[in-house]
């Protein structure tokens, strides 16, 4: 996999790169096996066909980064995932003086952090035994999402130029959950969609299948595999996907989160049933995919574990060729960057 030059990081959203631009002002790389073609994202309706189904993640993005102090020193807490017992999985990050953060080990157990408003957070145990990055924590007030909306901001990494409003991290498909749950990081594959583009796709006969997966904070430095996340595939979505497959239509996941949720709800034969709860599924080439015929996603770091899912969908050679083309044609990486459609 080719190295990605630092200058290919998308530092601001597409609509802020020039006057008159919209979210869909990004490029779209299309991989059909090892055959690659280059398009604008607005051409997506011409690349799909009637009967295709796009599985989309409706999770909202939370302002999951909160400033705190630990033993008097400043830290940033990334609130990752809310547990069933009221605890939250959190990541502690080191402020770098430029508005972003660097990695920092979590712990120790019993450590108490002071958050804004006099709120206290106590680390209890690692999310994964023996790991240091993510810890379960108890918060001294109920309603953590209310705390986030009062004091938090979107999670931001070093390659971005400046803070962006929370609205910049919501997709057109985002629907607030009744319990206030959401994602620590934006389901970014859907970001380039606009209402106008959705209407154009619908008029072409493309259907949308909503599902939810609340994604936690990623591991941009260590590129760890995904850990368990909460998801829901509704009955209506299961029926729509099964009908499309039975009728010869293609099922395409918009983002790795949508694929993880849909594949978690599929039986060995590929039939999807309504499902909800926690998924620890990691889609790899060895496991393969049972439901999806393609994946629309962003461009990931060469070391990212997400690439295993891309290889499961399209094959290792298709991914290698696509990424070589993306670097050669100066595509932009990360959540505000360009898009990649991989078809089996």
């Amino acid at each position: 996999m080719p190295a990605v030059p630092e200058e290919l990081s998308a530092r601001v959203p597409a609509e802020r790169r020039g006057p008159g631009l919209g979210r869909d002002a990004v490029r779209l790389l299309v991989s059909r096996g090892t055959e690659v073609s280059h398009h604008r994202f607005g051409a997506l309706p011409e690349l799909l066909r009637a009967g295709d189904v796009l599985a989309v993640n409706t999770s909202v993005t939370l302002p999951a980064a909160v400033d705190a102090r630990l033993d008097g020193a400043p830290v940033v807490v990334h609130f990752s995932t809310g547990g069933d017992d009221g605890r939250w999985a959190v990541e502690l990050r080191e402020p770098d003086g430029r508005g972003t953060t660097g990695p920092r080990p979590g712990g120790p157990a019993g450590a108490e952090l002071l958050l804004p408003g006099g709120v206290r957070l106590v680390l209890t145990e690692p999310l994964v035994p023996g790991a240091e990055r993510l810890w379960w924590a108890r918060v001294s007030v109920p309603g953590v999402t209310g705390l986030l909306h009062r004091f938090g901001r979107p999670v931001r990494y070093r390659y971005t130029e400046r803070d962006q409003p929370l609205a910049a991290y919501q997709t057109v498909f985002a629907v607030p959950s009744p319990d206030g749950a959401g994602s620590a990081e934006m389901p970014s594959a859907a970001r380039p969609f606009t209402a106008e583009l959705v209407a154009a796709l619908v008029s072409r006969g493309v259907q949308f299948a909503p599902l939810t997966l609340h994604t936690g904070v990623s591991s941009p430095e260590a590129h760890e595999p995904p850990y368990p996340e909460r998801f829901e595939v509704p009955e209506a979505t299961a029926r729509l996907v099964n009908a499309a497959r039975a009728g010869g239509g293609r099922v395409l996941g918009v983002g790795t989160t949508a694929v993880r949720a849909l594949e978690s709800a599929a039986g060995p034969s590929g039939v999807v049933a309504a499902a909800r709860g926690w998924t620890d599924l990691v889609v790899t080439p060895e496991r393969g995919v049972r439901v999806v015929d393609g994946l629309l996603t962003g461009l990931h770091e060469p070391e990212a574990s997400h690439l295993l899912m891309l290889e499961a969908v399209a094959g290792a050679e298709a991914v290698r060729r696509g990424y070589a083309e993306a670097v050669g044609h100066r595509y932009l990486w990360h959540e505000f960057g360009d898009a990649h459609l991989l078809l089996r």
Side-chain angles (χ1 to χ4, degrees):
M1 197 68 66
V4 180
E6 185 177 346
E7 65 268 20
L8 296 187
S9 294
R11 303 193 182 282
V12 295
E15 64 273 19
R16 288 174 170 77
R17 293 178 199 148
L21 296 180
R23 286 183 170 220
D24 57 351
V26 298
R27 291 187 289 171
L28 175 62
L29 180 76
V30 178
S31 293
R32 295 181 179 87
T34 56
E35 177 187 340
V36 176
S37 57
H38 304 273
H39 310 265
R40 55 183 179 82
F41 194 82
L44 187 61
E46 303 158 23
L47 300 168
L48 302 182
R49 57 185 186 231
D52 286 344
V53 171
L54 293 177
V56 296
N57 189 355
T58 63
S59 181
V60 301
T61 307
L62 298 174
V66 178
D67 292 325
R69 300 194 79 83
L70 175 59
D71 295 330
V75 296
V76 175
V77 180
H78 287 175
F79 283 81
S80 183
T81 305
D84 294 333
D85 61 357
R87 294 186 300 173
W88 275 73
V90 301
E91 177 189 33
L92 304 189
R93 303 279 295 185
E94 195 81 44
D96 62 3
R98 301 191 298 270
T100 54
T101 61
R104 179 194 186 284
E112 184 175 277
L113 287 81
L114 181 63
L115 276 60
V119 175
R120 297 185 179 276
L121 179 150
V122 178
L123 304 177
T124 59
E125 60 182 333
L127 179 67
V128 177
E132 291 189 324
R133 186 174 69 91
L134 291 164
W135 281 68
W136 285 115
R138 294 197 179 278
V139 185
S140 64
V141 296
V144 169
T145 55
L147 171 77
L148 300 183
H149 284 288
R150 185 178 178 188
F151 297 114
R153 60 187 179 276
V155 170
R156 175 188 163 205
Y157 293 115
R158 292 180 177 179
Y159 49 78
T160 54
E161 184 176 286
R162 57 183 179 272
D163 285 344
Q164 300 292 337
L166 183 60
Y169 291 86
Q170 306 295 2
T171 75
V172 72
F173 304 111
V175 178
S177 298
D179 63 357
S183 290
E185 295 184 3
M186 171 177 56
S188 56
R191 192 184 191 281
F193 284 86
T194 63
E196 294 78 14
L197 184 58
V198 170
L201 286 161
V202 170
S203 69
R204 193 172 179 84
V206 175
Q207 301 180 80
F208 290 85
L211 48 76
T212 303
L213 185 139
H214 298 311
T215 183
V217 291
S218 62
S219 173
E221 290 87 14
H223 301 290
E224 301 164 4
Y227 53 86
E229 294 167 317
R230 291 172 56 194
F231 81 106
E232 180 177 6
V233 175
E235 176 66 33
T237 287
R239 291 180 180 179
L240 177 59
V241 168
N242 291 334
R245 296 183 73 238
R250 296 179 297 182
V251 177
L252 310 175
V254 178
T256 59
T257 60
V259 172
R260 190 184 202 196
L262 203 54
E263 292 286 329
S264 297
S269 66
V271 175
V272 177
R276 64 183 303 173
W278 292 83
T279 177
D280 59 2
L281 176 66
V282 178
V283 178
T284 64
E286 291 73 27
R287 189 268 187 187
V289 290
R290 299 171 177 174
V291 183
V292 299
D293 302 292
L295 168 61
L296 178 65
T297 184
L299 292 162
H300 306 282
E301 295 282 2
E303 305 87 1
S305 61
H306 290 308
L307 292 182
L308 293 175
M309 180 183 289
L310 274 61
E311 292 178 4
V313 172
E317 183 57 26
V319 175
R320 187 202 64 77
R321 173 68 186 278
Y323 271 61
E325 287 278 321
V327 171
H329 285 78
R330 311 290 290 175
Y331 277 66
L332 295 180
W333 255 250
H334 303 303
E335 66 265 33
F336 297 137
D338 294 316
H340 188 190
L341 175 62
L342 300 104
L343 300 171
R344 294 173 72 180

